[in-house]
Amino acid sequence: MRFKNIAVLSGVLCLAASGAHAEGYAGALLELSSYNSDGLCARYTTQSTASTCDNRTAGLKVFAGVGGGSASGVEAAYIDFGRTRSTVDGQSLDVRVSSFVVAGVLRASPLPSLSVNAKLGVAASKATAKNLGNSVSRAHPSLYLGLGVDCEIVKNVKAVGSIDFVRAKLDGERFGVVGFGLGAQVGF
């Protein structure tokens, strides 16, 4: 509950700082996710070295923000990094991570129709592992880092690309999750 209050307060402060006349935007991306979860895979299976564990999957990111035309802004996003599924020695392991993110955004426009951005914020991440019919789940706060690029296609419509990074923790094992996404954004 304490983390939720901090996230809400951070979002309100960022909105106030970005100004009342800021442009709004929303969009969605399909992501290719990479889980750095070999240690978790080894813990839940009998494999002593987990090099054969599946660490890549497809995911989805949905986001909205203010400050689309300015040098700074704030963005909120829901990222489902997808589910990895591994079978090692006849045992299966499914791992899923999803995050709700609130982040500050800094933008630069090297060309008139192209901009790059960097994002720093907090993520409420939830990690779940399923093995042999058992399920373990844990939610916790995490640092969120993101990089992005967008290119205007037509007025108020942009093609976007992003890299999103969060850390997850499950059953004493910490691991990073990175998503590489492509999608579209609409300004309003």
Side-chain angles (χ1 to χ4, degrees):
M1 190 64 156
R2 189 170 133 197
F3 174 74
K4 200 183 260 187
N5 293 338
I6 292 171
V8 169
L9 180 60
S10 298
V12 169
L13 291 175
C14 288
L15 284 172
S18 66
H21 301 290
E23 293 179 24
Y25 60 92
L29 297 103
L30 292 176
E31 292 203 333
L32 295 176
S33 301
S34 177
Y35 284 59
N36 183 13
S37 60
D38 286 343
L40 187 68
C41 189
R43 178 182 293 245
Y44 280 94
T45 62
T46 58
Q47 179 87 359
S48 59
T49 59
S51 61
T52 59
C53 286
D54 179 20
N55 290 333
R56 302 204 192 302
T57 188
L60 174 70
K61 176 181 177 181
V62 179
F63 62 93
V66 293
S70 65
S72 65
V74 64
E75 184 173 292
Y78 173 75
I79 307 171
D80 180 352
F81 288 98
R83 178 185 68 186
T84 63
R85 174 170 278 171
S86 301
T87 304
V88 180
D89 295 336
Q91 298 181 42
S92 67
L93 174 66
D94 293 349
V95 178
R96 176 181 288 276
V97 174
S98 61
S99 298
F100 176 74
V101 175
V102 176
V105 182
L106 294 177
R107 287 185 184 76
S109 295
L111 299 172
S113 63
L114 179 73
S115 69
V116 294
N117 60 66
K119 302 170 189 171
L120 176 64
V122 293
S125 297
K126 180 179 178 185
T128 304
K130 293 182 182 177
N131 176 255
L132 299 174
N134 298 320
S135 179
V136 177
S137 185
R138 177 155 184 207
H140 67 94
S142 168
L143 176 68
Y144 165 79
L145 300 171
L147 295 172
V149 61
D150 56 65
C151 180
E152 189 170 40
I153 299 172
V154 295
K155 184 176 171 93
N156 294 331
V157 178
K158 296 180 179 182
V160 295
S162 74
I163 300 173
D164 302 296
F165 174 80
V166 298
R167 296 220 16 115
K169 184 176 182 181
L170 193 58
D171 203 20
E173 193 74 39
R174 292 178 190 245
F175 57 98
V177 184
V178 180
F180 303 91
L182 290 174
Q185 170 181 309
V186 177
F188 46 89

